[in-house]
Amino acid sequence: MAGKKREIQLQAVVNSQSLWDEMLQNKGLTVIDVYQAWCGPCKAMQPLFRKLKNELNEDELLHFVVAEADNIVTLQPFRDKCEPVFLFSVNGKIIARINGANAPLVNKKITNLINEEKKIAAGEMVRPQYREIVFVDSDVEDAGEVQYESAEQLYIIVIIKPDAVMTRKSLEIKKKIIEAGFVLEIEDKRVLTEQQAREFYSRKAEEPDFEDFVLFMTSGLSHILVISQGDEEQPDLKETEPDPEMEAKEADEDYHEEVRTPVKKKHDSLQEYLEIQHVSQFCDIEENLTDVNHFIDILFPDFKNMKNLKLEKTLALLRPRLFQEKREHVLKIIEDEGFKILMQREIVLSEEEAQTLCREYENEDYFENVIEQMTSLCVQFAMEDLPINQLYGSDSLEEAEKEIQYFFPSQDTLALIKPHITHEQREEILKLIRETGFEITQMKEVVLNEEEAEKIYSKIKGRDFYQDVLQVLSEGPSLVMVLTKWNAVSDWRRLMGPTDPDEAKLLSPDSIRAHFGSSTLKNAVHGSSTVYEATETISRMFEDFIPENHEGN
């Protein structure tokens, strides 16, 4: 009986709508175990709750409740479900939900929220604007829209700072994170707004150089990653020896008897891992579940759809005979199957290139004939007697990346969105840039005074209309970018369209200037004319920028 009494004292019983409404008046955090009358509360979690209650010793801030879904109208969506559900109410607002008896996840959630409540009570932080979750029947088809947390939905936000992006350190950091076993769910390069920087770094607000830091974080592109741990359990990143005493102590904890505690995941020590790798100073990490969800909503409002739509690139090659006879037919099939052709070119392979692509046949008797066919401009020989596939495709993502870079070597160009373009139009142009296959490698917003403008427009400095150009550029901030892709200079000029918007509407109706330009001076965008000009202008506008080691073909 003593044990039963202790459990009643630990968790208040809520079994009616009126008691539910009364419970929502609690101050601080209330952890609610939603149960069905036929199966009862989740006893497996009660030892954990008791442990937290004793350790945190926050009777005014931390409350535990068991709520019977059968008798509470608000909890109707949870009726007739056997899986444990835990709700988290902060000052009467349900802000989080965890499905399943996942002790480590619940433990972390409670600890983080109580620490926040302590800071708020002490005046050390402002209460976050929590988003209240809506209860939806999990059997309903679109129930996935409900915001809740589970073991599969632990995310971490990594922001790689502008100086690291400028010097291409972000590529190294991302590679190290992936090599450590994390899954890259989504990424983006963007200039943080002042509000986003202040909110993400609010914990630094009292530091003396905070204002300078905000200016730094909004001065150029940051590389934002949302990562998760892999599906498989991973060993600790720290190479430490197991502690038999600690293992024995954990084995004695009664909640370990009924709740499977996963092996420590790699994300638990991501910060330390990056410190060991000597790259932690170039990036900042947010792991607090509440904050992570909040910032994902801000930075990636369509996160769910973007996460599920993971695009991959591969290299496809049509061998000579197929290219000559059925090129259009094959390209149509590729597009009909849902592929988007980002880049294409005709190329006569060297013997070395052909041997690389045909290495799978190098031990066959007909290998020399294959190489001769692959390197023949006119393709004069029939192929019926050669048992090879007329299509080639990369056999892995790693190979695809190498082969794409080889056959479509990257090139940089400078691009400018002019001041007269509205914020909404700018977003449309940026979307079009990305959809056309460009990577925005560098970006900054700057008012182009005469000195800055000369770095971009030096070749027209002596022209009669130069002062008019300066006048247009001085009307507000311009967005200056480095765009990267194969054939970037000519592709960007093609996307811009003719200088005169009226001419662009006739000759290139889908171009940026046709859609957004109003005059020859206010024609929306600008770009470098040649590779040499692009290189020179980029070096003047982005002095610390380290271009990729592009290889020509």
Side-chain angles (χ1 to χ4, degrees):
M1 291 299 294
K4 182 68 174 176
K5 181 178 180 181
R6 185 174 59 175
E7 289 176 11
I8 294 174
Q9 291 175 340
L10 173 68
Q11 296 170 287
V13 177
V14 174
N15 54 14
S16 69
Q17 185 64 43
S18 60
L19 288 175
W20 174 267
D21 295 337
E22 182 181 332
M23 178 271 298
L24 292 179
Q25 303 303 312
N26 288 348
K27 298 298 180 184
L29 170 65
T30 303
V31 182
I32 308 161
D33 176 1
V34 179
Y35 72 96
Q36 323 298 316
W38 58 272
C39 62
C42 182
K43 293 184 178 180
M45 298 294 285
Q46 289 171 353
L48 172 63
F49 294 157
R50 190 178 305 113
K51 173 175 172 285
L52 288 170
K53 189 77 171 176
N54 294 332
E55 288 181 354
L56 297 174
N57 194 26
E58 293 290 345
D59 290 339
E60 298 298 320
L61 292 178
L62 179 58
H63 315 275
F64 291 98
V65 164
V66 291
E68 185 180 338
D70 306 74
N71 294 326
I72 301 172
V73 176
T74 304
L75 300 181
Q76 183 175 353
F78 301 106
R79 294 175 185 173
D80 302 321
K81 306 293 188 299
C82 59
E83 182 182 33
V85 174
F86 298 92
L87 305 177
F88 299 82
S89 170
V90 175
N91 288 350
K93 180 185 288 187
I94 307 295
I95 65 162
R97 161 183 160 185
I98 293 178
N99 283 6
N102 189 307
L105 186 57
V106 172
N107 177 69
K108 185 172 184 178
K109 186 69 177 176
I110 294 173
T111 303
N112 287 340
L113 288 175
I114 287 297
N115 287 338
E116 284 185 0
E117 289 301 305
K118 289 179 180 178
K119 291 179 181 179
I120 293 168
E124 297 176 4
M125 68 175 287
V126 178
R127 181 175 298 282
Q129 296 300 309
Y130 299 117
R131 181 180 59 178
E132 187 165 13
I133 67 172
V134 179
F135 300 146
V136 179
D137 192 330
S138 59
D139 290 336
V140 178
E141 184 177 356
D142 62 351
E145 297 297 328
V146 179
Q147 296 298 313
Y148 66 90
E149 293 159 6
S150 68
E152 292 75 27
Q153 290 180 302
L154 277 174
Y155 301 118
I156 304 170
I157 294 179
V158 179
I159 294 186
I160 303 175
K161 298 174 183 176
D163 56 346
V165 176
M166 179 80 74
T167 57
R168 294 194 179 270
K169 197 77 176 176
S170 61
L171 300 177
E172 176 189 347
I173 296 170
K174 186 172 80 168
K175 182 179 179 182
K176 289 182 181 296
I177 289 173
I178 293 172
E179 287 176 349
F182 292 92
V183 175
L184 179 59
E185 299 289 353
I186 194 171
E187 63 179 315
D188 189 26
K189 289 180 181 177
R190 68 176 71 178
V191 178
L192 293 177
T193 66
E194 180 179 344
Q195 181 179 353
Q196 289 170 347
R198 289 185 181 280
E199 194 162 352
F200 189 85
Y201 291 101
S202 59
R203 61 186 179 278
K204 298 186 176 195
E206 301 304 318
E207 296 181 6
D209 59 349
F210 182 65
E211 294 303 321
D212 291 338
F213 181 75
V214 170
L215 286 174
F216 163 68
M217 289 303 302
T218 56
S219 65
L221 275 184
S222 292
H223 195 165
I224 305 169
L225 314 176
V226 177
I227 63 175
S228 66
Q229 57 198 11
D231 294 334
E232 296 181 1
E233 295 174 354
Q234 303 288 351
D236 191 353
L237 286 169
K238 297 181 293 182
E239 296 183 2
T240 56
E241 294 295 324
D243 185 343
E245 293 183 10
M246 182 60 70
E247 291 178 358
K249 180 179 178 182
E250 290 178 350
D252 290 336
E253 293 283 352
D254 51 2
Y255 68 87
H256 280 271
E257 295 176 5
E258 298 186 58
V259 181
R260 184 180 68 85
T261 303
V263 175
K264 185 177 181 183
K265 301 291 183 178
K266 289 197 172 185
H267 74 271
D268 290 336
S269 53
L270 176 59
Q271 180 67 44
E272 184 175 349
Y273 170 73
L274 294 178
E275 289 172 0
I276 293 172
Q277 298 295 318
H278 307 294
V279 294
S280 62
Q281 68 272 29
F282 299 111
C283 57
D284 293 293
I285 298 169
E286 181 57 70
E287 296 186 83
N288 180 287
L289 294 176
T290 302
D291 290 339
V292 166
N293 290 337
H294 175 63
F295 290 123
I296 286 177
D297 286 343
I298 293 174
L299 298 171
F300 301 100
D302 197 26
F303 174 69
K304 180 186 174 184
N305 293 331
M306 296 169 73
K307 171 180 175 292
N308 292 335
L309 187 64
K310 288 187 177 179
L311 302 181
E312 297 176 350
K313 294 180 183 179
T314 189
L315 179 90
L317 184 143
L318 278 64
R319 291 190 166 100
R321 182 180 178 86
L322 186 63
F323 174 79
Q324 275 200 335
E325 297 182 358
K326 298 183 178 181
R327 171 187 175 184
E328 297 303 323
H329 180 59
V330 172
L331 294 181
K332 184 177 185 303
I333 291 175
I334 290 173
E335 292 183 335
D336 288 346
E337 288 297 319
F339 291 92
K340 182 177 181 179
I341 301 174
L342 295 176
M343 301 174 285
Q344 58 178 301
R345 63 183 296 198
E346 298 178 19
I347 184 174
V348 178
L349 299 180
S350 68
E351 184 172 342
E352 180 183 356
E353 291 168 339
Q355 287 174 346
T356 300
L357 287 177
C358 299
R359 58 184 176 271
E360 59 187 297
Y361 306 114
E362 61 184 346
N363 295 322
E364 303 293 342
D365 295 337
Y366 51 78
F367 181 65
E368 293 301 324
N369 280 346
V370 172
I371 298 304
E372 186 175 4
Q373 293 285 353
M374 292 289 289
T375 57
S376 170
L377 177 61
C378 299
V379 197
Q380 298 173 350
F381 302 96
M383 298 291 287
E384 288 83 353
D385 57 336
L386 295 180
I388 67 169
N389 195 323
Q390 291 295 295
L391 278 169
Y392 171 85
S394 306
D395 58 12
S396 69
L397 289 176
E398 292 75 15
E399 286 298 311
E401 186 176 351
K402 293 176 184 176
E403 292 168 352
I404 290 171
Q405 180 59 31
Y406 183 85
F407 287 103
F408 298 93
S410 297
Q411 186 181 83
D412 296 325
T413 192
L414 185 110
L416 171 75
I417 300 180
K418 297 184 177 181
H420 67 89
I421 292 297
T422 66
H423 176 75
E424 290 74 17
Q425 291 173 331
R426 179 188 285 188
E427 290 302 313
E428 289 184 53
I429 293 172
L430 292 175
K431 181 181 178 183
L432 183 60
I433 287 171
R434 292 186 174 100
E435 288 177 347
T436 316
F438 288 95
E439 178 187 357
I440 302 175
T441 313
Q442 197 50 244
M443 177 195 294
K444 67 178 177 180
E445 192 175 61
V446 59
V447 176
L448 294 173
N449 56 29
E450 186 170 356
E451 180 182 356
E452 291 294 316
E454 187 177 339
K455 296 177 181 178
I456 300 175
Y457 290 90
S458 57
K459 69 177 183 179
I460 64 167
K461 185 178 179 182
R463 300 286 190 89
D464 295 339
F465 57 84
Y466 185 58
Q467 291 301 318
D468 295 330
V469 172
L470 293 179
Q471 176 61 38
V472 170
L473 295 175
S474 67
E475 292 176 356
S478 297
L479 191 65
V480 186
M481 300 171 286
V482 177
L483 303 183
T484 303
K485 68 172 292 193
W486 174 68
N487 215 21
V489 174
S490 60
D491 280 7
W492 172 237
R493 296 197 66 79
R494 188 180 303 111
L495 183 60
M496 287 193 299
T499 303
D500 186 341
D502 291 333
E503 184 181 347
K505 290 173 185 176
L506 292 173
L507 301 180
S508 187
D510 293 329
S511 66
I512 292 173
R513 284 168 172 163
H515 283 281
F516 302 103
S518 58
S519 68
T520 303
L521 287 173
K522 294 187 176 183
N523 59 359
V525 289
H526 171 78
S528 301
S529 301
T530 65
V531 175
Y532 175 79
E533 180 188 326
T535 303
E536 292 296 306
T537 309
I538 289 170
S539 67
R540 290 193 290 263
M541 292 303 298
F542 299 94
E543 295 179 359
D544 296 326
F545 177 70
I546 299 177
E548 200 173 322
N549 185 23
H550 305 314
E551 295 181 5
N553 213 14

